[in-house]
Amino acid sequence: MREIDRLWGVPVGTPEGDKLDVLAPLAEAYERAQHPVPESDPTELLHFAIDETGRAQAELAELLGSRSRASGILNRKRPLSLE
């Protein structure tokens, strides 16, 4: 990781850039194998984010455009979409 940090931002096509091109995917593969990130439920992530950041459901409602939409999503009565 120290070597990747040292090489970060070097010009592409240089020997150091080529070294970074080899090391970065190796480090990524190692991280994926050693520290897998479990799939997360988007609704649970919303609850977690609201709790951890000290926000309120009303702020989510403001972002989504209505209190009923925020409530429906958080209570799993309304599907969560990318839109």
Side-chain angles (χ1 to χ4, degrees):
M1 292 308 296
R2 276 187 236 137
E3 186 67 1
I4 289 173
D5 286 341
R6 185 184 77 76
L7 294 171
W8 200 257
V10 298
V12 175
T14 63
E16 286 186 322
D18 293 344
K19 187 175 183 180
L20 180 61
D21 286 344
V22 171
L23 290 177
L26 290 173
E28 186 178 339
Y30 174 83
E31 289 291 321
R32 238 188 342 266
Q34 297 301 314
H35 307 287
V37 177
E39 288 293 319
S40 300
D41 175 59
T43 303
E44 287 301 318
L45 284 174
L46 274 174
H47 282 286
F48 178 79
I50 288 169
D51 293 342
E52 289 298 307
T53 60
R55 303 292 184 169
Q57 183 175 332
E59 291 174 276
L60 178 62
E62 201 173 296
L63 287 172
L64 297 176
S66 79
R67 285 182 173 266
S68 64
R69 182 176 293 153
S71 178
I73 289 171
L74 291 173
N75 291 312
R76 299 181 188 275
K77 305 258 188 232
R78 183 184 186 113
L80 184 60
S81 69
L82 290 177
E83 282 184 24

